[in-house]
Amino acid sequence: MSLIILVLSTFLASAVEMVEALTIVLAAGLARGWKSSFAGTAAATVVLAATVLVFGPALKHAPLDTLRLIVGGVLLVFGLQWLRKAILRASGFKALHDEDEIFAREIREAEGAVSEIRAGLDWYGFTLAFKGVLLEGLEVAFIVVTFGSAQGNVGLASLGAAVALVLVVAVGIAVRAPLARVPENTMKFSVGVMLTTFGIFWSAEGAGAHWPGSDAALLGVLAFVLALSHGLVRLLRGWHAEMHPAEAQA
């Protein structure tokens, strides 16, 4: 069961980050040329692959309890941040993430930038794609390495990320537009719940606790985090309706 949750977590987290990276790559390609955009994407992918290859094996030599304590604590930080934003968006206190708006903004900025050709590539387009893929991809690489190492299966964690990559790229090539219809906040909510669940589970194990039922206790922790999160959404949604009655009636 823990391995299934592991793959699902890395898949969802990777898909969210890759949708955002895709938006930037498409904007760079449409505004500055596909050659430069693809070159920047390829360069960032090489850097990310090297990061996983270097840090993945290195973490295998760390004591498992220490590794789970550290990884669990870091995942709690990441998970609670994702969950907080998703809860605020779901309750109306924060605007939903709009890929169409981000895409349009990136296009405007890319079209207005000065053209500078280096090594046959438009440097702005190359840099835009490289930075976008690298920054979003580093989060994916971190999740893959930490999840995989703490669970003793980097390969399985990489599989979840790889499936997300293939799916997002395939859809992106087919439509050549940001995946605005993807229920991103729902995905971020799910990822936040899963990261928080693993963070609680592994940090407790790393501190010396023993969960009843071993890995099966993950389901109990998951149910607790999910119930608490949905309760907060309903509570905040009620507060938001009281504070903004006009929006509630619309």
Side-chain angles (χ1 to χ4, degrees):
M1 178 59 68
S2 62
L3 294 181
I4 295 175
I5 298 177
L6 170 68
V7 175
L8 186 58
S9 299
T10 54
F11 170 80
L12 289 174
S14 300
V16 170
E17 298 300 333
M18 288 170 186
V19 166
E20 295 180 4
L22 174 67
T23 300
I24 297 172
V25 170
L26 289 175
L30 290 170
R32 311 295 296 195
W34 293 107
K35 181 181 178 181
S36 301
S37 179
F38 288 152
T41 301
T45 302
V46 171
V47 174
L48 291 170
T51 301
V52 174
L53 289 174
V54 170
F55 290 103
L59 288 176
K60 289 182 179 179
H61 302 293
L64 185 58
D65 285 343
T66 302
L67 181 63
R68 287 190 169 180
L69 179 61
I70 295 173
V71 169
V74 174
L75 287 182
L76 271 175
V77 173
F78 273 85
L80 290 173
Q81 285 180 343
W82 281 48
L83 199 51
R84 171 182 166 275
K85 291 179 181 178
I87 289 173
L88 289 175
R89 288 191 177 107
S91 60
F93 278 97
K94 189 176 179 66
L96 292 173
H97 201 72
D98 190 340
E99 287 297 332
D100 279 336
E101 181 182 347
I102 295 172
F103 183 67
R105 185 180 68 242
E106 293 287 356
I107 286 283
R108 289 194 300 270
E109 292 178 357
E111 288 177 339
V114 177
S115 179
E116 183 179 353
I117 305 299
R118 297 185 187 179
L121 299 173
D122 178 86
W123 195 244
Y124 184 92
F126 174 88
T127 304
L128 179 61
F130 178 82
K131 287 169 61 178
V133 174
L134 183 64
L135 292 176
E136 303 296 344
L138 279 174
E139 233 179 302
V140 174
F142 171 81
I143 290 172
V144 168
V145 170
T146 53
F147 263 52
S149 299
Q151 197 67 11
N153 203 326
V154 175
L156 204 56
S158 301
L159 175 63
V163 172
L165 174 63
V166 172
L167 181 62
V168 171
V169 170
V171 175
I173 292 174
V175 301
R176 290 195 179 186
L179 304 181
R181 295 184 180 180
V182 174
E184 186 176 357
N185 198 57
T186 301
M187 293 178 66
K188 286 188 174 181
F189 189 95
S190 302
V191 173
V193 167
M194 289 181 175
L195 292 183
T196 302
T197 297
F198 271 108
I200 294 171
F201 188 81
W202 282 337
S203 57
E205 277 196 336
H210 297 284
W211 292 98
S214 190
D215 286 352
L218 264 172
L219 294 177
V221 179
L222 177 63
F224 169 76
V225 174
L226 194 58
L228 182 61
S229 301
H230 275 293
L232 286 172
V233 169
R234 296 188 65 177
L235 177 63
L236 291 175
R237 191 174 288 166
W239 288 355
H240 186 270
E242 292 178 4
M243 295 168 62
H244 307 277
E247 292 182 16
Q249 294 175 0

